[in-house]
Amino acid sequence: TIAFGRTGFIGMQLMKHPHGVVREYHLMQAFGRAYTGQLANRIRYEVGGKMVDAATAARYGELSRINVEYEGGQQVYVNLSDKPWRVAGEELPSNGSFTTGPRGTAGTVLRDGQVCDLAQYDKVTYADARSQQWLPPATQPAIEPSVASFKALGGKEFELTLNWKVGRALDRDYTIFWHFMDEGIAFQSDHAIDRKTTSWKVGETITDGPRRLAIKDDAAVTRYGVWVGLYDNQGRVPLVRGLTSVQIGTLVVERDGAVAKSVRLEPVAPQQMPGSDPAPYLVDANTTHRVIDFGKVATNGAVVLQQQTRGMEIVPVPAGTVMTVGLQGKVASVSAWNAKGEKLAAPQLTRYDSKTWFETSADAVRYQVP
């Protein structure tokens, strides 16, 4: 998305995590200002420590470190390699990105060995030391889907039946989805069944099907992953080990050109799928809550600074998080306010390392510097 100037979006997975939404919003606001409506003057790649054009990079098979220069001088860097990349005075981790120029500065970078996020555009500064993490929900008793039966009907058509083993009661009526995946969803069956999910009882096995479906005509695709789950307008349901989508098999297709001649199912046991292990979510996390210096502000949490006509507003992310905040220069006073707009006791200020420091409180949702 960032490497080639596409519009950012907030993925459904983040909607239950306000901190994640705020992080993505401010990063993509800054990147959007960097390239939206701007012509790309030059696209280069780093090969062997030198910046080269795309044709040279392709000959060497080195396309993982990308630099795009936009009109007006705004630079965008994306590091898709598995090693850090030092550019424009910053060190980018694997999958890190950075933009700098007259329209703003933003990115996911390494500071003192810690992955962190920053954005500066217009009158806004976002600084995130990666101390706040959102972990997968604790594993609940499983709702476990599995293949009950599969029948090839000749040509492109087949019939599929699933079983849903009920390990816990469900408090809402959900829709079942069957997604047949290539690079994305190639075709699908979203449906309800006669037994509403609120009537499913613990210990039961619910039969879903048989349902008659047909393979799409597509000469390029001979395998479709079959992923299933439950959802409503509030999101998906955690199933086996917290997964919200489970692969129960792979459709293998034989074709005559684009048309399917036959289809068979290779089942996959849910036990072979990864679960809701928190370890991957803690990769690059600031688990020791180290203070990271972003220049204008230093913190061991995440904050949004908004420059105003008079003074500056500081908002902790998430609201009410207790953290350390250091503001550049000498600050005479900081006022604190709760969610009702009531003024709270002012935090105590200290001065060292050319910054004014204070601790946030759980009651305050914003702070004001005169």
Side-chain angles (χ1 to χ4, degrees):
T1 297
I2 290 170
F4 298 108
R6 297 186 178 95
T7 302
F9 66 95
I10 302 295
M12 182 184 72
Q13 296 90 338
L14 286 183
M15 289 305 180
K16 295 182 180 179
H17 307 290
H19 178 198
V21 173
V22 172
R23 177 190 291 172
E24 291 293 314
Y25 172 82
H26 286 294
L27 286 174
M28 289 312 302
Q29 282 288 311
F31 277 106
R33 282 162 170 75
Y35 52 62
T36 300
Q38 309 295 326
L39 293 176
N41 288 338
R42 183 171 59 176
I43 300 175
R44 300 184 299 169
Y45 297 81
E46 190 207 59
V47 177
K50 296 181 180 179
M51 301 305 296
V52 302
D53 61 26
T56 303
R59 285 200 300 272
Y60 283 92
E62 295 287 347
L63 298 166
S64 59
R65 293 181 169 183
I66 308 161
N67 166 231
V68 184
E69 180 182 301
Y70 289 90
E71 58 185 356
Q74 190 78 24
Q75 302 283 344
V76 173
Y77 301 89
V78 175
N79 180 23
L80 301 179
S81 72
D82 58 1
K83 295 180 180 179
W85 183 26
R86 182 163 289 281
V87 290
E90 294 287 353
E91 188 173 11
L92 275 60
S94 179
N95 294 316
S97 54
F98 184 66
T99 184
T100 184
R103 292 187 290 277
T105 299
T108 297
V109 302
L110 283 164
R111 292 278 175 92
D112 298 326
Q114 173 61 51
V115 174
C116 56
D117 306 282
L118 60 96
Q120 292 181 320
Y121 59 93
D122 296 342
K123 297 180 179 181
V124 174
T125 297
Y126 175 72
D128 188 343
R130 290 271 180 128
S131 296
Q132 178 72 28
Q133 295 297 314
W134 47 93
L135 297 175
T139 301
Q140 305 176 60
I143 307 292
E144 183 174 338
S146 62
V147 176
S149 66
F150 174 85
K151 183 178 181 182
L153 300 176
K156 66 175 70 176
E157 295 190 334
F158 63 93
E159 194 174 80
L160 179 61
T161 304
L162 297 190
N163 282 332
W164 295 87
K165 185 177 179 181
V166 184
R168 71 178 188 277
L170 296 171
D171 60 357
R172 298 202 300 274
D173 288 319
Y174 295 100
T175 299
I176 295 171
F177 68 83
W178 297 355
H179 288 170
F180 299 86
M181 307 289 292
D182 177 26
E183 292 182 350
I185 300 174
F187 61 102
Q188 66 192 85
S189 171
D190 288 24
H191 56 270
I193 59 176
D194 293 338
R195 284 283 306 275
K196 291 185 177 182
T197 55
T198 49
S199 73
W200 292 8
K201 292 182 171 30
V202 175
E204 285 187 315
T205 296
I206 306 297
T207 301
D208 175 15
R211 295 188 178 274
R212 187 167 181 158
L213 298 166
I215 299 291
K216 292 182 65 176
D217 292 341
D218 187 341
V221 185
T222 59
R223 298 177 70 86
Y224 296 94
V226 185
W227 293 78
V228 303
L230 306 171
Y231 74 95
D232 67 3
N233 59 8
Q234 297 185 44
R236 292 183 176 182
V237 178
L239 302 172
V240 182
R241 295 188 303 285
L243 296 168
T244 58
S245 180
V246 174
Q247 185 179 11
I248 51 92
T250 300
L251 289 179
V252 181
V253 186
E254 291 186 14
R255 296 184 182 272
D256 182 2
V259 179
K261 294 193 303 179
S262 66
V263 58
R264 60 186 172 86
L265 179 70
E266 294 179 350
V268 174
Q271 290 78 9
Q272 296 175 8
M273 299 298 296
S276 55
D277 180 1
Y281 293 79
L282 294 174
V283 172
D284 298 328
N286 187 351
T287 54
T288 61
H289 289 213
R290 281 196 298 134
V291 172
I292 306 298
D293 194 342
F294 296 89
K296 188 174 184 178
V297 62
T299 185
N300 60 357
V303 291
V304 178
L305 278 59
Q306 175 78 50
Q307 201 68 42
Q308 300 175 329
T309 305
R310 289 188 175 183
M312 177 173 60
E313 181 184 66
I314 304 162
V315 177
V317 182
T321 303
V322 176
M323 68 181 80
T324 300
V325 176
L327 303 176
Q328 186 66 42
K330 187 175 182 180
V331 176
S333 64
V334 175
S335 55
W337 305 80
N338 66 17
K340 296 179 180 180
E342 300 167 337
K343 194 171 184 178
L344 305 175
Q348 183 177 351
L349 306 182
T350 58
R351 282 269 300 161
Y352 61 91
D353 288 344
S354 73
K355 283 184 169 61
T356 302
W357 300 84
F358 66 95
E359 298 292 321
T360 65
S361 75
D363 297 326
V365 299
R366 68 180 183 90
Y367 299 83
Q368 191 74 33
V369 177

